[in-house]
Amino acid sequence: MATLRTKEGNEKFREYLNNIPEDAPCPLCHREPIKRFANFKVINNEFPYDQIAEVHHLLVLNRHVPGKELTPEEI
Protein backbone atom coordinates (compact mmCIF):
# COMPACT_ATOMS: atom_id res chain seq x y z
CA MET A 1 0.00 0.00 0.00
CA ALA A 2 1.37 3.41 -0.97
CA THR A 3 1.87 5.94 1.79
CA LEU A 4 3.02 9.53 2.04
CA ARG A 5 5.03 8.71 5.16
CA THR A 6 8.63 7.57 5.13
CA LYS A 7 9.25 3.95 6.07
CA GLU A 8 10.33 5.06 9.55
CA GLY A 9 7.32 7.36 9.96
CA ASN A 10 4.93 4.64 8.82
CA GLU A 11 6.47 2.11 11.23
CA LYS A 12 6.08 4.59 14.11
CA PHE A 13 2.42 5.14 13.13
CA ARG A 14 1.70 1.38 12.84
CA GLU A 15 3.32 0.72 16.22
CA TYR A 16 1.15 3.44 17.76
CA LEU A 17 -2.02 1.94 16.23
CA ASN A 18 -1.14 -1.56 17.42
CA ASN A 19 -0.64 -0.40 21.02
CA ILE A 20 -3.71 1.78 21.67
CA PRO A 21 -5.45 0.57 24.85
CA GLU A 22 -9.16 -0.23 24.58
CA ASP A 23 -10.05 2.54 27.04
CA ALA A 24 -7.74 5.18 25.58
CA PRO A 25 -9.21 8.68 25.22
CA CYS A 26 -9.58 10.23 21.78
CA PRO A 27 -6.04 11.09 20.62
CA LEU A 28 -7.22 14.33 19.00
CA CYS A 29 -9.51 15.72 21.71
CA HIS A 30 -6.87 15.86 24.41
CA ARG A 31 -4.13 17.46 22.35
CA GLU A 32 -2.87 20.94 23.17
CA PRO A 33 -3.79 23.27 20.29
CA ILE A 34 -1.42 25.49 18.38
CA LYS A 35 -4.36 27.84 17.90
CA ARG A 36 -7.96 27.67 19.05
CA PHE A 37 -11.01 29.10 17.28
CA ALA A 38 -14.69 29.18 18.25
CA ASN A 39 -15.45 25.66 16.98
CA PHE A 40 -12.09 24.26 15.91
CA LYS A 41 -8.49 23.96 16.98
CA VAL A 42 -5.27 23.45 15.04
CA ILE A 43 -2.98 20.68 16.30
CA ASN A 44 0.27 19.12 15.12
CA ASN A 45 0.02 15.75 13.44
CA GLU A 46 2.27 13.42 15.44
CA PHE A 47 2.53 11.17 12.40
CA PRO A 48 3.03 13.62 9.51
CA TYR A 49 3.21 12.75 5.84
CA ASP A 50 6.94 13.33 5.97
CA GLN A 51 7.68 12.36 2.37
CA ILE A 52 5.93 15.50 1.16
CA ALA A 53 5.87 17.94 4.09
CA GLU A 54 8.05 18.84 7.04
CA VAL A 55 5.08 20.17 9.02
CA HIS A 56 1.53 18.83 9.01
CA HIS A 57 -1.27 20.39 11.05
CA LEU A 58 -4.77 19.06 11.61
CA LEU A 59 -7.94 21.08 11.97
CA VAL A 60 -10.24 19.32 14.46
CA LEU A 61 -13.41 20.18 16.33
CA ASN A 62 -13.14 21.49 19.87
CA ARG A 63 -15.73 18.93 20.96
CA HIS A 64 -15.96 15.20 20.33
CA VAL A 65 -19.33 14.43 18.73
CA PRO A 66 -20.74 12.16 16.02
CA GLY A 67 -21.20 13.82 12.65
CA LYS A 68 -24.99 13.84 12.99
CA GLU A 69 -24.67 16.06 16.07
CA LEU A 70 -22.61 18.82 14.41
CA THR A 71 -23.97 22.33 14.64
CA PRO A 72 -24.36 24.40 11.46
CA GLU A 73 -21.28 26.39 12.50
CA GLU A 74 -19.20 23.21 12.83
CA ILE A 75 -20.35 21.91 9.47
Side-chain angles (χ1 to χ4, degrees):
M1 173 182 238
T3 178
L4 296 177
R5 293 185 180 97
T6 60
K7 181 180 177 185
E8 296 80 15
N10 202 44
E11 287 172 1
K12 180 180 170 187
F13 180 60
R14 292 286 164 214
E15 183 176 332
Y16 168 79
L17 290 177
N18 290 331
N19 293 303
I20 299 174
E22 289 285 326
D23 60 346
C26 174
L28 302 177
C29 287
H30 295 86
R31 300 274 302 283
E32 189 65 32
I34 296 169
K35 178 119 177 136
R36 189 177 296 272
F37 299 93
N39 296 300
F40 298 92
K41 63 184 175 182
V42 179
I43 61 173
N44 276 320
N45 183 354
E46 291 183 14
F47 306 100
Y49 300 106
D50 51 356
Q51 284 197 57
I52 60 169
E54 292 181 23
V55 176
H56 179 204
H57 295 125
L58 300 171
L59 183 64
V60 297
L61 288 171
N62 283 328
R63 60 191 198 109
H64 188 111
V65 295
K68 64 184 179 185
E69 294 179 22
L70 294 174
T71 66
E73 293 82 12
E74 291 169 333
I75 293 171

